[in-house]
Amino acid sequence: MLLLSLNWWREKDPRTPLGTAYLYSWLSRTDLWPMVKVGFLDATVADPVTRVVQRIKAADPSILGIGVYVWNNPVVRQVLSSLRVEGYRGKIVLGGPEISYATEDLPAEFPDADYFVKGEGETAFEEVLRANLGGRKAEGPGVFTPRYSPIAGQAHLPKGVEPVQPQSLPELLPLIVKDGFGRIELQRGCLFACSFCAFPFKDRVFTEFGMGTLREDLRQLRLAGVRQLAVLDPILFLHKERAMTMLRALAEELPGTRFEIQSRPEHLDAALIDQLARMDVLLECGIQSLDPIVERAIRRAGDPGTIDASLRLLQERGVDFEAHLIFGLPFQTVGSLFQDVDYLLGFHPRRLRLFPLLDHRGTTLSRETQTVYHGRMTFSNSFPRQVEETEWMPRNAIASLKRLHHELEVGTDAVTALERARTVLPGCQGNGEPILWA
Ligand code: B12
Ligand SMILES: C[S@@+](CC[C@H](N)C(=O)[O-])C[C@H]1O[C@@H](n2cnc3c(N)ncnc32)[C@H](O)[C@@H]1O
């Protein structure tokens, strides 16, 4: 069996993403292990399709598993159709967020696939292997053949059962750590339902992994030379006591390491910020918008007082943090966006990031663009589908904001980049009276 990843190319990324590494580590603990041979084929979306197809054909696996994400969706389709044209007869299994979030259109979109796995891949992929070995059709939660209808519902690990952490397997460490950089997942899912977000897994099942093996897993990462660790979880600070235990474990087991951790500022408190200040941390604060009208529209409400207090404390304690905003959201004007920009710059974040709204398939917002916002929001047709114009933000303003986005991403100083942007963006001085969100 071959696990193919088609990655978004970045120099620093380890060769194998955790999505497929988790499938391997799970299978390694099942009774199937002696009967299967698993290989990774890690390529990037920039690699020529013909080369990827050649490599798959050379391995000639009986099962080919692919993680489908927004950045590789069109490439996966090209790879699959070339593979079939070239006579590949093995079973093709697709999983990942683009599959988890899709609906009835899947068979038409990927006519060459044999199975679609929605949700957590571990047990569902195991079922596909068992079925293949037993000469039967795979079935069960989250496993669909193209003819199965409806393609709805997701696979999850049974209650109380946790995934097998890839860092616990020595053979995986060189694949998931590169030049001292690695990633770790400490919980699965997210409890929130922000309308724009395509966070796996769609049905909001949320599991916090137990801490039984945490320290040992972190020690393995230290032995593998990790000096920079990205924690993938969006709401790590939701439960403060647990978050504090995790932070202490990270700090003690991986001394001298820089941690990249996501947080909604409203989930932080003084004790957590104190602990963060003792560590080498980059906190990635997803703000998205602080305009109450926009927040209501995207189902993202954070108490402004708590957000303000957290940002103030982060600044005071010298914790390095990024602030993220999205532009092109429903009801968001240029004035509203810049009100947020100016407010956030007051806390001197290490980096301000402004993302163009992406229309991710299967999200509430994507559905709304076909209903309540029909004709009021326009997106590009290429992947990922980016906002181009909204009733509230003109096309030329969005085009300028995309240039600003790129400038900020390549590290242009925020104040300089924003000053330039302001000269071409009408309405960026705010909607009138400054609103004190706090
Ligand atoms: C690491 C990461 C990246 C890396 C990419 C790494 C790479 N391999 O190329 C980087 C930093 C480059 C990146 C970039 C982007 N990312 Co990103 N990223 C992530 C992140 C944080 C972690 C992925 C991960 O390892 N998850 C942990 C594993 C265990 O979960 P998983 O991947 O979903 O895998 C499980 C299942 O999906 C399934 N599965 C996965 N593969 C397979 C394969 C088979 C065969 C089967 C059966 C099952 C299966 O089983 C796995 C185990 O249960 C996720 C958020 C998250 N926490 O998941 C976002 C996420 C994947 N990214 C996302 C987005 C939108 C982006 C960007 C477009 C952001 C932007 N605005 O530019 C860019 C892409 C570049 C571009 N401009 O197009 C979205 C994807 C939505 C989608 N539909 O694909 C996510 C979900 C974040 C979000 N909430 O919006 N990203
Ligand atoms: C990987 S996401 C992490 C999101 C974070 N968990 C949060 O609190 O929303 C990183 C950033 O991508 C941006 N982002 C997420 N979904 C987006 C979308 N649909 N369109 C554009 N940007 C998006 C947000 O600014 C977010 O903070």
Side-chain angles (χ1 to χ4, degrees), residues 3-4 6-10 13 17-20 22-23 64-71 93-98 100-101 117 119-122 124-125 183 185 188 196-201 232-234 262 355-356 358 360-361 383-384 405:
L3 294 168
L4 169 67
L6 288 161
N7 299 318
W8 181 252
W9 192 85
R10 288 195 324 174
D13 273 320
L18 290 189
T20 42
Y22 269 108
L23 301 182
L64 174 66
I66 312 179
V68 191
Y69 298 80
V70 69
W71 55 80
V93 188
L94 303 182
E98 284 286 293
S100 298
Y101 270 76
V117 165
E120 289 181 77
E122 283 89 343
F125 197 53
R183 297 192 170 94
E185 194 189 44
R188 275 268 167 97
F196 56 85
C197 185
F199 191 81
F201 304 87
L232 300 182
D233 312 303
Q262 299 177 34
F355 294 98
L358 301 180
H360 289 306
R361 69 165 354 156
F383 285 92
H405 156 76

Side-chain angles (χ1 to χ4, degrees), residues 161-189:
V161 177
E162 293 192 5
V164 177
Q165 291 283 23
Q167 53 276 3
S168 66
L169 272 72
E171 70 270 34
L172 285 185
L173 282 166
L175 306 184
I176 59 168
V177 174
K178 179 179 168 192
D179 300 335
F181 173 69
R183 297 192 170 94
I184 193 164
E185 194 189 44
L186 302 170
Q187 52 196 35
R188 275 268 167 97

Side-chain angles (χ1 to χ4, degrees), residues 196 234 262 264 286 288 300 324-326 355-358 360:
F196 56 85
Q262 299 177 34
R264 290 172 61 152
Q288 322 318 0
R300 170 114 181 177
H324 300 175
L325 292 169
I326 300 178
F355 294 98
L357 176 64
L358 301 180
H360 289 306

Side-chain angles (χ1 to χ4, degrees), residues 22 50 64 78 90 128-129 140 178 187 205-206 262 310 316 335:
Y22 269 108
T50 45
L64 174 66
Q78 287 167 30
V128 173
L129 294 195
K178 179 179 168 192
Q187 52 196 35
V205 168
F206 175 64
Q262 299 177 34
S310 293
E316 270 171 33

Side-chain angles (χ1 to χ4, degrees), residues 31-46:
D31 60 352
L32 291 176
W33 199 235
M35 289 174 274
V36 294
K37 188 170 168 206
V38 187
F40 290 103
L41 198 170
D42 300 300
T44 80
V45 289

Side-chain angles (χ1 to χ4, degrees), residues 206-370:
F206 175 64
T207 317
E208 293 175 315
F209 300 164
M211 277 172 285
T213 63
L214 176 64
R215 284 186 180 260
E216 183 49 35
D217 293 339
L218 295 175
R219 275 195 284 275
Q220 292 308 319
L221 289 174
R222 186 176 70 212
L223 293 176
V226 164
R227 296 180 309 279
Q228 190 188 354
L229 186 66
V231 181
L232 300 182
D233 312 303
I235 50 173
L236 188 71
F237 299 105
L238 185 69
H239 295 126
K240 300 193 169 33
E241 213 175 297
R242 178 174 185 271
M244 185 61 95
T245 312
M246 299 262 174
L247 285 184
R248 291 204 177 111
L250 290 171
E252 286 162 19
E253 300 301 338
L254 285 165
T257 297
R258 179 150 176 91
F259 299 100
E260 298 167 359
I261 308 181
Q262 299 177 34
S263 170
R264 290 172 61 152
E266 61 269 36
H267 293 169
L268 294 168
D269 65 9
L272 287 168
I273 292 175
D274 273 345
Q275 176 62 34
L276 289 167
R278 286 194 283 272
M279 298 164 65
D280 183 4
V281 165
L282 173 67
L283 205 62
E284 298 171 356
C285 293
I287 311 277
Q288 322 318 0
S289 168
L290 290 167
D291 180 334
I293 297 170
V294 179
E295 284 188 305
R296 208 168 307 128
I298 60 174
R299 325 298 197 267
R300 170 114 181 177
D303 171 52
T306 320
I307 294 177
D308 191 77
S310 293
L311 294 173
R312 217 165 281 284
L313 265 182
L314 287 174
Q315 186 192 1
E316 270 171 33
R317 305 284 154 88
V319 177
D320 236 356
F321 73 98
E322 284 185 350
H324 300 175
L325 292 169
I326 300 178
F327 59 89
L329 291 166
F331 302 107
Q332 189 190 39
T333 59
V334 171
S336 155
L337 174 74
F338 272 79
Q339 200 111 42
D340 292 343
V341 164
D342 290 337
Y343 170 74
L344 291 173
L345 286 180
F347 298 102
H348 299 283
R350 143 93 27 164
R351 190 149 82 126
L352 176 70
R353 301 182 75 178
L354 304 181
F355 294 98
L357 176 64
L358 301 180
D359 172 0
H360 289 306
R361 69 165 354 156
T363 56
T364 306
L365 183 65
S366 190
R367 211 172 42 247
E368 289 173 345
T369 62
Q370 303 305 315

Side-chain angles (χ1 to χ4, degrees), residues 370-391:
Q370 303 305 315
T371 53
V372 279
Y373 304 130
H374 185 68
R376 305 167 82 186
M377 303 181 84
T378 313
F379 292 85
S380 62
N381 281 323
S382 54
F383 285 92
R385 282 166 45 78
Q386 277 196 3
V387 67
E388 286 183 334
E389 183 176 13
T390 73
E391 185 177 309

